Structures are given as C-alpha cells and as structure tokens.
Amino acid sequence: MIIEWLKGFNPIIQALFATLFTWGVTALGASLVFFFKNINRKVLNAMLGFAAGVMIAASFWSLLAPAIEMAEQTSKTPWVPAAVGFLSGGAFLLAVDKILPHLHLSQPIQNAEGIKTSWQRSILLVLAITLHNIPEGLAVGVAFGAAAANLPSASLVGAVALAIGIGIQNFPEGAAVSIPLRREGFSRFKSFMYGQASGIVEPIAGVIGAFAVIAMKPILPYALSFAAGAMIFVVIEELIPESQQDSKTDISTIGAMVGFVIMMILDVALG
C-alpha cells in the first residue's frame, strides 16, 4: 500500500513524491491538447469551479482545522495562529500578485497584472496558473511536514488525501492552460509544454513547506493556516471570477460544489 511505502522515506522526500504526483496530473491534463483544439466555455467554467471547490474544502478540512486543533494543545488563544497565518498567506499572495507579471485566461494582454513587461501573452498566461500553484504545492508540503510531527490532528493518510485532492483539480487546470494556448496558434507540443510547466513550481513549494515545518515545529499551526490563506486568496481573486465569465454561471457553481464534496469526502474518509 502506498501509505506503508511512503513511511520508509523522510517527510521532505514524501512531500517531493506527492508534489511530483500533482505536477504529473497537471501534465496529464495538459496532454488533452493533443486531442482537442478548443474547449467549450461551459466546460472550462465547470473545471474552474471544480478547482475552486477542491481548494476551499482543502483549506478548511486539511489545513485550518488541524491548525486550530494543534494551537489548542499549545496556546491559550488557539485562534491567534490560525488568524495570523491565514491573513499572512493572503498577504503573501497579494504581494506576489502585484510583482509577478501574469495574465488571466479571459483577459486581453493590456490587462496583464504585476510588473509591466514585454513578455508574450503565452508566458503571462502560464505565470498566472503558476502563481496559484505555489500555495497548492506549499499546502501539500506543509501537510507532510505536519504528519511527521506525530500530532493527532495531522496524519500521513490525511496528507496523502490532500495530495490526491490537489492532483484531481490539477487535471482540469492543465487543460485550462494548454488548450487556450493551442487556440491562440501554438503547436500542440508547445501548448502541452507550457501547460505542464505551470505545475513545476509545486514540487519546489512542497519541499520548502515540508522543510520549514520540520525545522521549526512551533510554526506548524501558522504554516498550515498560511497555506490555507494563500489558497483562499487564489480562489477568490482568480478561480471564481474566471469561472463566472459566461452568462450561465450555474455550471461553475455546481462544479465548485462537486469539487468541495469530493475533497471533503477524501479528507474525512482517508484523513
């Protein structure tokens, strides 16, 4: 069984394996560009809504709730680490959002955010997805680091459940990058390479997250909450607005609810 196999490795290596898996699923989703040149707007909205639902559920069930439980064991005011970490995660993504040049899927190039550059539209689109893959990789890494602390509220099974949930929502994300690039005139192979490249930051962020919480155990509640805040920032700032571009928004709402339920089931059943 995969859990028993993972137990034989250092938590940082576990986090690396898990985030390589989530990156691999991103690449798998990006490979759909070899079969499709266009993606229906309703399908895209459903994909984005689904990703938002998974990230919202993961933020609470896999990150905030364990952070609060840990803080209750060590702090007289258990809400402080959760609140400080959560807001810090949002502030970090806000700062990166202001600095890193990027462009959201449905926007013209003149609406690119971050520092102004002359970079091509394709690069800016990939960077937009890369931006919100940072908290996903960080969340998985922190979860594996927390599991190594042998606390009741954090387990290896729960960390694996989180990685599976993030992986599931990375599949439509990969397609949501590569297929629009193909529609803009890029070759299938180049569109695929750009699409999978958007997930390369996840193993990097995962290893950093795991190392940080192992090296500094007292920051665990803050680190878990930080990852949750960063993910919620991405959901509200990018995924939900992107999924509501069409006049018929019910499909994205349903996608979000389905994503939330699937992640909740994964965490409760496995974690």
Side-chain angles (χ1 to χ4, degrees):
M1 188 178 180
I2 189 170
I3 302 298
E4 294 301 320
W5 179 74
L6 282 172
K7 286 180 179 178
F9 295 94
N10 178 281
I12 296 175
I13 302 301
Q14 293 173 350
L16 176 61
F17 285 151
T19 47
L20 285 174
F21 162 74
T22 60
W23 178 21
V25 179
T26 302
L28 191 62
S31 70
L32 291 181
V33 75
F34 292 111
F35 307 98
F36 304 99
K37 184 175 181 178
N38 295 297
I39 183 169
N40 183 276
R41 184 69 224 190
K42 290 182 180 179
V43 174
L44 179 60
N45 287 348
M47 288 179 171
L48 294 170
F50 179 86
V54 169
M55 291 178 72
I56 292 170
S59 296
F60 177 75
W61 296 101
S62 300
L63 299 170
L64 271 180
I68 293 170
E69 290 179 24
M70 291 177 191
E72 286 175 344
Q73 300 169 16
T74 58
S75 173
K76 294 181 181 179
T77 51
W79 56 267
V80 170
V84 171
F86 187 84
L87 293 175
S88 297
F92 170 74
L93 256 290
L94 177 62
V96 176
D97 188 67
K98 297 297 183 183
I99 297 171
L100 182 71
H102 62 283
L103 177 68
H104 298 303
L105 287 173
S106 58
Q107 298 297 315
I109 194 165
Q110 58 265 30
N111 289 350
E113 300 178 15
I115 296 174
K116 299 302 179 184
T117 73
S118 58
W119 293 351
Q120 293 180 348
R121 175 181 171 84
S122 57
I123 300 296
L124 296 174
L125 287 170
V126 172
L127 286 176
I129 304 298
T130 301
L131 174 63
H132 83 239
N133 280 338
I134 294 174
E136 293 174 11
L138 185 64
V140 174
V142 168
F144 277 92
N150 295 318
L151 296 171
S153 52
S155 68
L156 182 58
V157 177
V160 170
L162 175 61
I164 293 172
I166 295 296
I168 290 172
Q169 64 96 36
N170 274 357
F171 183 82
E173 277 187 6
V177 178
S178 63
I179 294 177
L181 290 177
R182 172 61 177 160
R183 190 172 62 243
E184 292 191 11
F186 287 85
S187 68
R188 294 185 189 275
F189 180 75
K190 195 170 184 179
S191 298
F192 165 75
M193 291 304 294
Y194 276 132
Q196 64 82 31
S198 67
I200 197 172
V201 71
E202 291 193 8
I204 299 170
V207 168
I208 292 173
F211 176 79
V213 298
I214 290 171
M216 297 172 284
K217 187 176 176 180
I219 73 166
L220 258 175
Y222 294 92
L224 288 165
S225 303
F226 180 96
M231 289 216 293
I232 291 298
F233 180 92
V234 168
V235 169
I236 297 173
E237 198 269 343
E238 182 176 345
L239 292 181
I240 290 177
E242 288 285 350
S243 71
Q244 301 289 313
Q245 292 294 319
D246 192 78
S247 59
K248 297 180 180 179
T249 58
D250 287 350
I251 187 67
S252 55
T253 303
I254 294 170
M257 295 186 71
V258 171
F260 185 97
V261 168
I262 288 176
M263 185 64 234
M264 179 181 67
I265 292 172
L266 277 173
D267 193 85
V268 174
L270 298 181

